[in-house]
Amino acid sequence: TTFAEIEQFCWRLVQIKDLRKRLECWMYSLKHRQLAQELKSSVQESTSAYQAALTHSGLESILMTVLAMGNVLNKSSFHGSASGFRIGNLSDTLTSVKSSNGKLTLFNLLVTHCKTSAPELLNTPKELIPLLEYGCSHGVSDYVSQHSEMIAGVRLISSRLKDESCDEVFSAKFAPFLES
């Protein structure tokens, strides 16, 4: 019996040792460079956005004002000459520190100060939000997921190369991949 072209092709595929593993390695090698470039690009974009936010002159001025206000409020205590504060506590501190009559918070005082002494600082949140949203568009979980996918692919190829049944043709094609 003679086989048609498609049957001959399928018969040859069946004869290839570890075909599935080979195809998985080949498929990963095709997308590895793209994955690496996407991850690198995402990290660079997020880093640039965060750097722009951190070096924003308005943010620096607001934080310096908050520090000065804290030093005035704490002038008679050990904390009265602080050179910094924890950013993580800032939101709670701004809303929980209240005036003696309980009607105003430190945040209200900060906004009033900005309105009267530095109105340009009132635009700072509007300027920072797009930067921070852009920087947050890729969360850390996205980076971890992309990195994990890359590690799994490299491990797949590495384990295949270490496999005793790995032939020289496969080794010749994929050993340089791991070296790059």
Side-chain angles (χ1 to χ4, degrees):
T1 29
T2 58
F3 292 116
E5 205 173 296
I6 189 70
E7 285 86 5
Q8 290 177 14
F9 174 75
C10 290
W11 179 250
R12 286 188 180 147
L13 283 179
V14 171
Q15 301 303 311
I16 297 173
K17 189 175 183 182
D18 296 325
L19 177 64
R20 183 184 180 129
K21 289 180 184 177
R22 286 174 179 251
L23 289 175
E24 287 172 347
C25 291
W26 178 65
M27 291 298 295
Y28 176 74
S29 71
L30 292 176
K31 69 179 186 175
H32 174 79
R33 187 164 276 124
Q34 178 186 353
L35 286 172
Q37 186 56 44
E38 287 173 6
L39 180 60
K40 181 180 178 182
S41 178
S42 296
V43 169
Q44 286 174 338
E45 289 171 4
S46 293
T47 301
S48 294
Y50 287 127
Q51 284 293 7
L54 289 174
T55 58
H56 190 281
S57 61
L59 178 62
E60 183 180 350
S61 296
I62 289 173
L63 294 176
M64 293 301 287
T65 302
V66 170
L67 178 62
M69 291 166 64
N71 283 336
V72 167
L73 292 172
N74 293 315
K75 69 181 175 191
S76 61
S77 75
F78 173 75
H79 300 289
S81 59
S83 58
F85 56 87
R86 292 190 179 122
I87 293 288
N89 299 341
L90 184 58
S91 178
D92 291 338
T93 302
L94 287 174
T95 56
S96 66
V97 174
K98 297 187 179 192
S99 63
S100 57
N101 66 7
K103 293 183 179 179
L104 295 174
T105 64
L106 192 55
F107 182 74
N108 298 126
L109 184 60
L110 176 63
V111 171
T112 302
H113 169 77
C114 289
K115 279 182 182 176
T116 57
S117 301
E120 70 279 359
L121 294 180
L122 296 174
N123 289 325
T124 299
K126 291 177 196 167
E127 295 166 1
L128 288 176
I129 287 173
L131 292 172
L132 296 174
E133 284 177 343
Y134 184 76
C136 293
S137 64
H138 298 286
V140 172
S141 62
D142 293 337
Y143 301 142
V144 170
S145 173
Q146 287 175 310
H147 187 254
S148 296
E149 184 179 354
M150 291 176 68
I151 288 174
V154 170
R155 283 186 179 149
L156 173 73
I157 293 172
S158 179
S159 69
R160 179 70 182 111
L161 286 169
K162 291 175 185 172
D163 191 349
E164 291 176 10
S165 65
C166 180
D167 60 34
E168 286 134 27
V169 174
F170 184 88
S171 294
K173 294 283 185 187
F174 284 97
F177 172 81
L178 291 179
E179 294 168 3
S180 61

